[in-house]
DNA sequence: ACTACGGGTTAACAATTATCAGTTGCACGG
DNA sequence: CCGTGCAACTGATAATTGTTAACCCGTAGT
């Protein structure tokens, strides 16, 4: 089950992974106690329930969801390599649900093992901390997007973000990427309605910037889409971005 | 300068502070190396600049700001007791600016001292981690608010949030609270324009739910405003909330 | 083959919010 | 005292988005 390649090989790939020593990578891999394949709509971690483990997303997509009077609202998305509820380790109970979109492969890490990391591995602890704050940086960009952009730009923005995040883990190609999100999900994540997102998808397609069908997203002219959506990938802390320096050489 | 009461006495007050031992409180207080009074608009930590210290907000208000083509957009607010750029310790460089709104009193903590904490104080480390994730939880609620609510409800929501957060640190009273935010700032944080927020303020005032003038916010009927704004304070992880259990007794 | 269903699509109309172009009121410096 | 500047406020109009109510089109099941 735990191959030489390592179950955690996508964790922070394209970001801070290079700051990990070989030993730390081994420690990380040894954390995963069990993997599980789960179906669409599986609740990985429910809000308000005391968490005793955290989950690495090995394959598939996951949404952070907050219920608001019956409606399920997406407040975040996760892609393979993301430690989807690592923050449940520090928070103990989440304020939201973590739910799969489409089937997914999960790897579980008990909090007692994380506890050992915090006690014995200061550098690794800091890297784990970093990874939870990466989500917060993405949250902030979503806030900006929702405050500032109109629906067409929001759609472009989220698509660009997904492309970059998938590209970090080698799941995107120059022409686009695969994803299981329905128009409903995109609408939800863009703070608009299914009807409107449909119009918007059409409009952006007619600009020649974006194709979405049957789980496949095509970006005929990504640079132009990024310009159009006022997208700048720096906030993703990718290698070479403005915000990811060489500051992790030291402990 | 460092009184017996302690400069960090507001940190996590009303939340996890009770999980700290007396010794840990002492350690925390010893972190503050220097305090400084700064004017309105002071940049506490600039984006993309390598951070060597973090800042505790002792008095005043602070905004998290992202520039987008000249416009400064507020993506978060901080109140006294908040460790406003603690996440710069794990991230090293921030994706946004941290800026005072009105004059403020700051307390500085060097990252080398935080480094010592991470090495020697696993429980305190986890509490600090918790405090950064609290901001992420607030980010998520803002995302929900921007996705779901209309301007009147957004305004009510942000005001309710501020009341609760200030109440944790004893800076709110039953009738309201003081704050230096202008209508421009509120508009910004609600993802709307100054013109529109002005109309919205008027409308909510006419409902008898809210008064805002000259830095004073009055809430004649807070429970009703919370209902109106679909506000539920659980996400603030206050004592007694659904999400803050007794899970921190252990290390 | 027929039906049910979920997701995508469209049109007409209504509600919300942005934009533009001001006015008012107050505080401050000269 | 006057002028300047900033914040608050307002009206008219345009743009964006929401709502409602459909229809289309595959796929799965009977």
């Amino acid at each position: 089950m735990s191959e030489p390649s390592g179950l955690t090989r996508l964790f922070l790939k394209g970001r801070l992974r290079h700051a990990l020593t070989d030993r730390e990578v081994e420690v990380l891999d040894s954390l995963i106690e069990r993997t599980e394949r789960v179906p669409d709509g599986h609740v990985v971690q429910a809000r308000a329930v005391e968490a005793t483990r955290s989950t690495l997303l090995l394959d598939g997509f996951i949404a952070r969801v907050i219920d608001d009077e019956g409606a399920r609202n997406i407040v975040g998305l996760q892609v393979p390599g993301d430690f989807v509820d690592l923050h449940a380790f520090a928070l103990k109970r989440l304020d939201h649900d973590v739910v799969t979109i489409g089937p997914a492969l999960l790897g579980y890490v008990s909090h007692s093992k994380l506890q050992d990391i915090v006690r014995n591995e200061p550098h690794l602890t800091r890297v784990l901390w970093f990874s939870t704050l990466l989500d917060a940086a993405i949250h902030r960009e979503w806030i900006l997007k929702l405050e500032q952009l109109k629906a067409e730009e929001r759609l472009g923005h989220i698509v660009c973000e997904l492309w970059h995040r998938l590209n970090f883990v080698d799941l995107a190609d120059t022409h686009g990427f695969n994803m299981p999100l329905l128009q409903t999900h995109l609408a939800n994540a863009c703070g608009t309605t299914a009807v409107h997102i449909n119009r918007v998808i059409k409009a952006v397609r007619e600009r020649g910037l974006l194709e979405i069908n049957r789980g496949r997203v095509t970006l005929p002219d990504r640079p132009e889409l990024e310009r159009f959506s006022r997208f700048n990938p720096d906030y993703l802390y990718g290698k070479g971005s403005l915000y990811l320096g060489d500051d992790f050489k030291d402990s």
Side-chain angles (χ1 to χ4, degrees), chain A:
Chain A
M1 188 60 77
S2 111
E3 309 172 38
S5 56
L7 284 171
T8 70
R9 71 185 175 286
L10 298 185
F11 178 62
L12 287 179
K13 189 156 153 47
R15 267 97 144 214
L16 253 190
R17 195 170 182 82
H18 62 280
L20 297 175
T21 65
D22 291 347
R23 194 189 52 77
E24 285 172 335
V25 169
E26 271 178 49
V27 170
L28 264 180
D29 278 333
S30 74
L31 291 178
I32 309 281
E33 292 166 341
R34 191 165 68 83
T35 65
E36 186 180 12
R37 207 166 283 282
V38 297
D40 175 56
H42 177 80
V43 178
V44 175
Q45 181 66 47
R47 75 188 256 275
V49 174
E50 185 171 349
T52 58
R53 66 176 186 201
S54 285
T55 311
L56 187 67
L57 178 56
L58 301 172
D59 189 36
F61 280 65
I62 277 179
R64 302 191 183 281
V65 169
I66 302 184
D67 272 46
D68 188 54
E69 321 211 328
R72 314 196 94 196
N73 285 97
I74 296 176
V75 297
L77 290 170
Q78 307 297 142
V79 300
D82 288 348
F83 223 140
V84 293
D85 56 354
L86 179 56
H87 53 314
F89 171 65
L91 289 175
K92 275 306 199 176
R93 294 161 193 266
L94 291 187
D95 53 309
H96 61 282
D97 296 319
V98 177
V99 184
T100 57
I101 296 184
L105 180 62
L106 309 176
Y108 299 117
V109 177
S110 75
H111 285 181
S112 60
K113 284 203 176 181
L114 289 174
Q115 192 64 18
D116 293 340
I117 301 284
V118 172
R119 270 197 270 263
N120 306 318
E121 301 275 352
H123 179 240
L124 197 47
T125 298
R126 192 155 146 197
V127 170
L128 291 174
W129 191 350
F130 172 94
S131 84
T132 61
L133 297 183
L134 205 49
D135 289 326
I138 294 173
H139 288 337
R140 283 188 288 274
E141 189 76 12
W142 280 40
I143 290 171
L144 182 68
K145 167 184 89 182
L146 291 162
E147 284 176 350
Q148 283 302 107
L149 305 185
K150 48 190 79 164
E152 288 189 18
E153 299 159 332
R154 288 182 194 176
L155 175 66
H157 195 283
I158 204 168
V159 166
C160 290
E161 176 181 306
L162 284 173
W163 186 87
H164 279 270
R165 291 172 69 184
L166 291 168
N167 189 48
F168 288 140
V169 290
D170 295 330
L171 292 171
D173 52 84
T174 38
H175 314 94
F177 57 90
N178 298 317
M179 70 160 195
L181 303 206
L182 304 177
Q183 291 193 358
T184 314
H185 297 121
L186 289 171
N188 213 295
C190 290
T192 183
T193 59
V195 171
H196 193 58
I197 206 72
N198 181 278
R199 289 191 278 246
V200 160
I201 289 172
K202 188 181 168 190
V204 182
R205 178 177 12 195
E206 279 165 4
R207 287 178 193 271
L209 295 177
L210 183 57
E211 292 278 342
I212 302 183
N213 28 25
R214 273 169 292 115
R216 172 77 191 170
V217 177
T218 314
L219 308 174
D221 186 353
R222 191 168 52 77
E224 179 55 27
L225 182 62
E226 296 192 358
R227 227 167 292 126
F228 172 76
S229 315
R230 307 216 223 141
F231 179 85
N232 182 319
D234 279 335
Y235 71 98
L236 297 173
Y237 285 77
K239 240 187 289 191
S241 85
L242 191 54
Y243 305 139
L244 188 66
D246 290 326
D247 314 326
F248 279 80
K249 294 274 166 61
D250 59 346
S251 161

